[in-house]
Amino acid sequence: MEEAKLDSELERIHKTFPYLWESHDFHIKYLTRDYGFYNRGFIIGLENKVCKLLFLKETNSPVDSILERVGTRSALFRPPDDLFSSTDGWYSLTGLIYWLSGIQCERDKNVDQDLENVSQYLRLHIDKVLELFRSPDEFDNKLNYYRNLYKDKQITVEKIRDERARLHALGKDSSLEAVIASLRGAKK
């Protein structure tokens, strides 16, 4: 992977997640352009005082999604065998937010649209993510609590799409925030 490609990927992430820098004091901590089976991918690691974020892609294909992980402060950016698993302190960002909020993130095959979806989703729930990682000693208990909190009230991508279409047809606000509020009990 050429350095210019890494620069463009970093710019893409910076542009799509501006609130990480502006409001939550994240900064770049780790970069590599030789990641993946053929060393064509990249890893971009961010951190603040509470947790770490990881953006990684194993190929240089423009259609492959960028994976997002969130990790504890003690998680290594290059754990053994590049596993980035929960045993190493790393969690799927969208999976973790699904547990925290009960709302499934829509994924897209277009890299820019996919990152935008994840960014909107994270923006709505970043305070919960940061709160979860703020107290490492309580992390497991809090995570178990959230795993069970929305068990019977989960909002799937299909529900979001249907509600967005319904609100749009009525000429109402069909933003992600409005859709979630409507699905969580606002009057229809």
Side-chain angles (χ1 to χ4, degrees), residues 72-125:
T72 62
R73 288 287 297 151
S74 62
L76 299 175
F77 283 112
R78 284 198 69 114
D81 301 322
D82 297 328
L83 295 175
F84 299 111
S85 68
S86 60
T87 57
D88 297 315
W90 291 104
Y91 300 84
S92 162
L93 180 61
T94 56
L96 186 70
I97 295 175
Y98 189 33
W99 286 338
L100 294 175
S101 67
I103 303 166
Q104 187 178 26
C105 180
E106 182 175 8
R107 301 309 300 246
D108 200 290
K109 292 184 181 183
N110 174 296
V111 174
D112 289 318
Q113 184 59 51
D114 190 52
L115 277 180
E116 184 58 38
N117 291 347
V118 172
S119 178
Q120 288 179 28
Y121 190 59
L122 178 58
R123 185 180 303 123
L124 290 174
H125 305 289

Side-chain angles (χ1 to χ4, degrees), residues 10-154:
L10 184 57
E11 183 180 342
R12 170 186 274 158
I13 290 167
H14 190 267
K15 185 176 120 185
T16 308
F17 296 85
Y19 53 90
L20 293 177
W21 287 266
E22 296 166 2
S23 304
H24 300 287
D25 298 322
F26 277 90
H27 60 274
I28 298 168
K29 184 66 175 183
Y30 184 85
L31 292 170
T32 185
R33 62 186 167 119
D34 299 321
Y35 178 70
F37 190 70
Y38 294 106
N39 293 322
R40 294 183 181 151
F42 67 87
I43 299 173
I44 298 173
L46 310 176
E47 73 176 3
N48 70 2
K49 294 179 182 177
V50 177
C51 65
K52 295 180 179 183
L53 290 173
L54 188 70
F55 297 89
L56 63 137
K57 189 171 176 181
E58 291 195 31
T59 70
N60 59 4
S61 167
V63 295
D64 288 344
S65 293
I66 295 173
L67 301 176
E68 308 86 14
R69 299 285 183 263
V70 60
T72 62
R73 288 287 297 151
S74 62
L76 299 175
F77 283 112
R78 284 198 69 114
D81 301 322
D82 297 328
L83 295 175
F84 299 111
S85 68
S86 60
T87 57
D88 297 315
W90 291 104
Y91 300 84
S92 162
L93 180 61
T94 56
L96 186 70
I97 295 175
Y98 189 33
W99 286 338
L100 294 175
S101 67
I103 303 166
Q104 187 178 26
C105 180
E106 182 175 8
R107 301 309 300 246
D108 200 290
K109 292 184 181 183
N110 174 296
V111 174
D112 289 318
Q113 184 59 51
D114 190 52
L115 277 180
E116 184 58 38
N117 291 347
V118 172
S119 178
Q120 288 179 28
Y121 190 59
L122 178 58
R123 185 180 303 123
L124 290 174
H125 305 289
I126 190 148
D127 292 332
K128 280 186 177 180
V129 171
L130 294 175
E131 183 57 36
L132 178 65
F133 284 91
R134 192 163 274 120
S135 303
D137 296 340
E138 299 172 19
F139 182 86
D140 290 331
N141 288 336
K142 284 182 180 180
L143 189 56
N144 268 340
Y145 167 77
Y146 283 117
R147 280 182 181 155
N148 294 314
L149 183 62
Y150 297 106
K151 207 174 225 175
D152 299 326
K153 300 175 269 182
Q154 293 173 335

